[in-house]
Amino acid sequence: MNADFINPFIAALINVLQTMAQTELVPGKPKKKSDNQAKGDISGLIGMVGDKIQGSMSISFDEGLVLEIMDKMLGEKPDTIDSDVQDMVGEITNMICGGAKNELDQKGYDFGMATPVVVSGKNHTINHQVDGKKMVMPFSHASGNLYLEMCFNK
């Protein structure tokens, strides 16, 4: 996978969580991924389609981390993942993809974004809609982990 294409998503993720939720993440080492098993307890998935590229991005949160982000962003901390948390994950997914899209547009990668889909529950799966290589980038935080997944036909 092309780092010039992936890095805008990583930068957008870090920016969104720093500015919207005052949350600092520690990046781990990216890895290839071969299965559809989500690593977190709730995931946002968004598809992207353009002339030069098709793919999808997902972001999976451990429950502890997503509840802390909810508290920092909205001043509410539910006991468990509820519909408000699901809505917030969809919005975060949209903001990250939109931030990366702005940077990639300047590099000649124009694509449209689908509406994010949010899936939650222990051991849920993420089905990327393109047949391509999958990469997962883990991030850690005292409240839990976050996993950024990318799958593109390039």
Side-chain angles (χ1 to χ4, degrees), residues 3-140:
D4 287 341
F5 194 76
I6 301 302
N7 287 340
F9 289 93
I10 295 170
L13 166 68
I14 291 169
N15 181 52
V16 166
L17 290 181
Q18 280 178 343
T19 58
M20 301 299 292
Q22 301 77 47
T23 301
E24 299 284 332
L25 300 171
V26 178
K29 187 174 182 177
K31 299 174 185 142
K32 289 181 182 175
K33 188 170 185 229
S34 57
D35 62 9
N36 291 333
Q37 187 70 46
K39 298 201 180 290
D41 299 313
I42 183 167
S43 302
L45 173 68
I46 190 165
M48 296 162 273
V49 177
D51 293 338
K52 297 181 182 178
I53 194 131
Q54 288 84 41
S56 56
M57 174 205 86
S58 74
I59 180 168
S60 293
F61 299 86
D62 284 351
E63 185 175 34
L65 178 58
V66 79
L67 295 178
E68 179 165 321
I69 291 169
M70 178 82 171
D71 187 30
K72 288 183 175 179
M73 282 182 73
L74 301 173
E76 301 170 18
K77 190 169 185 177
D79 294 328
T80 59
I81 294 169
D82 62 13
S83 61
D84 291 335
V85 175
Q86 291 176 336
D87 290 347
M88 180 195 68
V89 167
E91 281 302 313
I92 289 172
T93 304
N94 214 23
M95 286 187 279
I96 291 166
C97 194
K101 181 182 182 349
N102 289 340
E103 188 173 331
L104 289 167
D105 279 349
Q106 297 169 9
K107 295 180 179 183
Y109 291 103
D110 183 37
F111 57 83
M113 295 169 26
T115 301
V117 174
V118 177
V119 183
S120 64
K122 302 283 184 200
N123 300 317
H124 67 273
T125 57
I126 298 169
N127 295 309
H128 293 277
Q129 298 300 307
V130 295
D131 192 21
K133 294 178 182 175
K134 289 185 270 190
M135 187 260 334
V136 61
M137 176 82 179
F139 293 86
S140 60

